[in-house]
Amino acid sequence: MHVDDNLVETLKRVISSDEHLDDERMGIWDEYWQQETCRIESNTVVYGGTPSADQSQPQTKEIGDDQKRKQQITNSSNAYDTIRSLDYIAGFHPDQATEAAIDLALFLKIPWSVVPCCVFPREFPNRQINGSRVKNHSQLIEYLCTKHEKIRKETLSFVETATAKNVVLYMLSEDYD
């Protein structure tokens, strides 16, 4: 399951104060799950957005692939239950999932921590801070901090580089009170 805006928006349509899913909301979730499953299964791009060197060559099977497959969630009901049971969300260099991971945690009102790294300004042209598009890491941090007034920010104890960022954003359970 990919954490993205589509997941968060679907959950906002499905989850209510009533823990039980009625038929209409379960139908919305089932439709999302089916579309997401098809999208993932038809993906010919390796994780991280980089096409494989030679798409005609079969991918080598990693040790443990069968075990990983057994751990995958394969039906919508289990996926929904898993999301509802989350008690923490963590993202270390989550790339395009950065904002959606924070939005998901804020919606579910659970603790979270994210170390944002890449900005992806072309993929997220609607991100704005002070009327300007978010184009660099410091602007991304500032933008993400506007999502909730109690978002905390700390600097981790390792040196920041062009590819390794050291700012963590987070919220604790008590920050939702």
Side-chain angles (χ1 to χ4, degrees):
M1 178 181 322
H2 292 155
V3 176
D4 61 10
D5 292 339
N6 194 21
L7 169 67
V8 176
E9 291 307 313
T10 301
L11 287 170
K12 287 178 179 179
R13 292 176 53 210
V14 170
I15 294 176
S16 71
S17 57
D18 178 13
E19 290 291 319
H20 177 72
L21 278 182
D22 60 30
D23 289 343
E24 179 184 352
R25 291 184 292 141
M26 191 62 195
I28 293 168
W29 179 253
D30 285 341
E31 181 180 339
Y32 162 80
W33 182 256
Q34 184 65 31
Q35 290 173 354
E36 186 67 6
T37 300
C38 289
R39 183 181 71 81
I40 291 169
E41 288 174 355
S42 67
N43 188 3
T44 59
V45 177
V46 296
Y47 190 81
T50 307
S52 60
D54 184 353
Q55 296 271 339
S56 65
Q57 295 297 317
Q59 296 287 328
T60 57
K61 190 171 182 177
E62 291 182 27
I63 296 173
D65 276 355
D66 290 335
Q67 185 63 28
K68 289 178 193 174
R69 206 166 280 108
K70 288 178 187 175
Q71 295 173 352
Q72 289 179 344
I73 299 170
T74 57
N75 73 58
S76 64
S77 181
N78 288 350
Y80 180 80
D81 291 344
T82 299
I83 290 170
R84 293 299 287 154
S85 70
L86 292 174
D87 58 10
Y88 184 81
I89 292 177
F92 189 79
H93 199 312
D95 289 336
Q96 292 95 331
T98 299
E99 185 172 2
I102 293 171
D103 290 343
L104 179 59
L106 291 173
F107 175 68
L108 296 174
K109 293 181 172 46
I110 59 174
W112 58 272
S113 61
V114 170
V115 178
C117 194
C118 302
V119 180
F120 299 101
R122 285 189 211 122
E123 292 183 40
F124 299 99
N126 295 329
R127 288 180 180 164
Q128 296 212 349
I129 194 75
N130 301 324
S132 297
R133 281 184 54 194
V134 171
K135 294 182 180 178
N136 63 48
H137 185 260
S138 62
Q139 290 172 334
L140 178 62
I141 296 295
E142 185 179 355
Y143 168 79
L144 294 171
C145 285
T146 66
K147 293 189 157 289
H148 195 284
E149 67 275 0
K150 292 191 177 180
I151 291 178
R152 303 175 192 218
K153 179 174 84 170
E154 297 292 334
T155 302
L156 301 173
S157 61
F158 60 85
V159 177
E160 180 175 311
T161 69
T163 58
K165 303 302 181 188
N166 64 354
V167 175
V168 60
L169 304 178
Y170 67 100
M171 286 179 66
L172 305 175
S173 296
E174 62 262 23
D175 293 330
Y176 293 101
D177 297 335

